[in-house]
Structure formats: structure tokens, C-alpha cells
Amino acid sequence: MKKQTAMKSDWIATAQTLNAALPYLQRYDGATVVIKLGGHAMGSDEGMASFARDVVFMQQTGVNPVIVHGGGPQISAMLERLDIQSTFVRGKRVTDQATVEVVEMVLSGLINKRIVQAINAAGGGVVRAVGLSGKDANLMVCDQADPGLGFVGTPKEFNPEFLRSLHRAEIIPVIAPIGAGRNGETFNVNGDTAAGAIAASLRADRLLLLTDVAGVKNGAGDVVTELTPDQIRAMIEDGTIAGGMIPKVETALDAIEAGVRAVVILDGRAANACLLELYTDHGAGSLIRAAR
């Protein structure tokens, strides 16, 4: 009897949650949401399956999701296995010909297909995902970022209409941050940079940067739930935002300036992080958008 009572309580709580989510389901119907899945946020197979279910739920409730993924830790591990030595300039890896081949192999192959397979499995044959890189259909044409860094690219031209055609076909694109050069080169692109640029080209409603931290923190170490670009710049200036968080917030600022409605930096390791952000009052992580 107690078990039945507990189950009934759970069902009621679930129904109440769905009821409370209705305004947000309506709000994001037809919206384009770009999700950057960082290498550190991919976690276990169970975590990947949970992420995939979230993406399928989003698509089934009217959202047009675009997944852009990283894979820095996995690239480093493969380079070590292959005994390919890396050199660094100002803390950034020099991507020579041997390295860019490994980068493409890991990102476009191993990682990309793992995400695609997880989404397809969660979709039960109804929701489909397809794996791409920036080289496919000229999704992301790049110039060399810095000759001293080798085959590292800066995105310059995009093909957002191809991604929109996939959405019209109810297919979820999963994109590896590999760019096409104008002269046949292959370029490694920072995952956050690629996600921000693709979101801007789509004029996305949201860019979710899933990482391994809870969000942007203030001087006391607390996550700030909502920020404006001016507040971000001030926190960089006074040193509150430092280290690896700087390129993430710079990606956010560039995306907002280019027309993305809002950017959220959140912990991709947390269960149902995307759904909490989109469909609850509480949200998740740090939301960055222009002052109203």
C-alpha cells in the first residue's frame, strides 16, 4: 500500500512538472537551439544516453536542435597513443599536418558517431541524427587563424540553409568542428568558436555551452544566473572571470552581437541540464543576454 501511495505521488509530481513546463514548451516551439557539447562534459555512456534523450525530447516538442561537439581530451589521448608530440605557442596547441589528421579522425569519426548513435538509439526510429563536419556542404569555410599555429582555422563563411533543410526533414545535425579551407586545407576549429559562429549564422534563439563547470562565478565563488555583456566585460577587466572561462564568455559576447538571442554556460555533466535550462523557472548555469 505504501509503495502504491509513493508511486501515485511520483505520478502526480511528474504531471505537475509537465504542466509547469507548458509555457516554455510553447515559448520554444520552432526555436533553433545550438548545443555545444564539450569533451569534458561527455562523461559516461549513461550520461551520453541521458543527453541524447534530452535532445530527442527537445526535437519532439518543436525545438530545432543543432549539436556541435568538442573533444580536446580525446584528441590528446589519441595523440599520446600514437606517440605524436605536441608543441604549444602561448598555451595553444600547434596543429601540424600529422596532428590535424588525428584531430579529424577523432572528432569526425569516434566522437561524432558516438553522439549520433546515442541520439538515434534514444529516438527509437522516429528521431534521426546525422553526423557532419564543417567540411560537409561547406558548412564552415575557414581562414588560417595564425600561421604559427598551423592548421587552426577561423570560421568565415557558412551554409545555414543546409542545416535548415535538415530541420525541415526532422533530422538533427551533429557537427564536428572541422573546417574547410579555401584551397583544400582541413582546419581544426575551437569547439566553442565553431558553435558560436554556427549559432550566429542561424540566428539561433539559444546557444547552450555545456562544459564541466556550473557557470560564470562571481568573486565569492557563486554562480551568477544572469549577466549582460557589459557585466561580463567588467568581470574580465577586474579579473573575476579568468583562465578558461574567458574564451567561453568571449564566444557568448560574439554570438549575442551577431544576433543570437541568449547564451547559457552550464554544467553538461548535470542530469537533464538542457531541459532544466529551457523548460523550468529555475534554469541552469549562467544566462548571458543583452540588457533589456
Side-chain angles (χ1 to χ4, degrees), residues 216-217 235-249:
V216 180
K217 296 181 179 180
M235 291 171 74
I236 294 173
E237 183 67 25
D238 67 19
T240 302
I241 295 176
M245 184 56 71
I246 290 179
K248 293 188 183 301
V249 297

Side-chain angles (χ1 to χ4, degrees), residues 173-255:
V174 179
I175 305 171
I178 300 293
R182 301 178 193 277
N183 298 306
E185 310 98 325
T186 296
F187 284 115
N188 180 22
V189 182
N190 174 273
D192 289 341
T193 300
I198 289 169
S201 75
L202 290 165
R203 296 295 189 269
D205 189 90
R206 282 287 189 276
L207 168 60
L208 306 182
L209 298 177
L210 272 58
T211 183
D212 58 349
V213 295
V216 180
K217 296 181 179 180
N218 59 23
D222 300 319
V223 173
V224 184
T225 57
E226 190 163 345
L227 292 154
T228 66
D230 285 346
Q231 289 173 316
I232 290 288
R233 295 186 187 99
M235 291 171 74
I236 294 173
E237 183 67 25
D238 67 19
T240 302
I241 295 176
M245 184 56 71
I246 290 179
K248 293 188 183 301
V249 297
E250 288 179 340
T251 292
L253 296 180
D254 290 343

Side-chain angles (χ1 to χ4, degrees), residues 2 62 87 112 116 133-135 186 215 232-233 256 272 274 276:
K2 288 183 179 180
T87 57
N112 188 273
V116 167
S133 80
K135 294 168 70 173
T186 296
I232 290 288
R233 295 186 187 99
I256 291 168
N272 309 117
C274 293
L276 286 171

Side-chain angles (χ1 to χ4, degrees), residues 131-148:
L132 305 164
S133 80
K135 294 168 70 173
D136 294 299
N138 283 331
L139 281 178
M140 189 167 59
V141 178
C142 298
D143 289 340
Q144 188 177 40
D146 180 345

Side-chain angles (χ1 to χ4, degrees), residues 59-201:
Q59 199 262 9
Q60 290 285 274
T61 54
V63 171
N64 296 316
V66 177
I67 314 303
V68 181
H69 63 83
Q74 293 87 343
I75 291 169
S76 296
M78 183 60 73
L79 288 170
E80 184 176 347
R81 284 178 60 186
L82 297 175
D83 198 25
I84 297 175
Q85 302 299 315
S86 296
T87 57
F88 294 83
V89 175
R90 299 183 299 277
K92 296 181 179 180
R93 190 196 307 271
V94 176
T95 305
D96 58 16
Q97 184 62 48
T99 301
V100 80
E101 290 176 3
V102 173
V103 168
E104 184 169 23
M105 175 180 68
V106 172
L107 292 180
S108 295
L110 178 66
I111 296 175
N112 188 273
K113 302 315 172 193
R114 180 188 176 205
I115 299 169
V116 167
Q117 189 173 26
I119 294 172
N120 286 335
V126 176
V127 174
R128 300 166 296 161
V130 63
L132 305 164
S133 80
K135 294 168 70 173
D136 294 299
N138 283 331
L139 281 178
M140 189 167 59
V141 178
C142 298
D143 289 340
Q144 188 177 40
D146 180 345
L149 294 177
F151 294 97
V152 175
T154 298
K156 292 295 184 181
E157 297 176 9
F158 307 91
N159 186 359
E161 182 53 35
F162 180 71
L163 297 178
R164 294 189 183 104
S165 72
L166 293 179
H167 283 151
R168 288 193 292 271
E170 299 184 346
I171 296 172
I172 298 171
V174 179
I175 305 171
I178 300 293
R182 301 178 193 277
N183 298 306
E185 310 98 325
T186 296
F187 284 115
N188 180 22
V189 182
N190 174 273
D192 289 341
T193 300
I198 289 169
S201 75

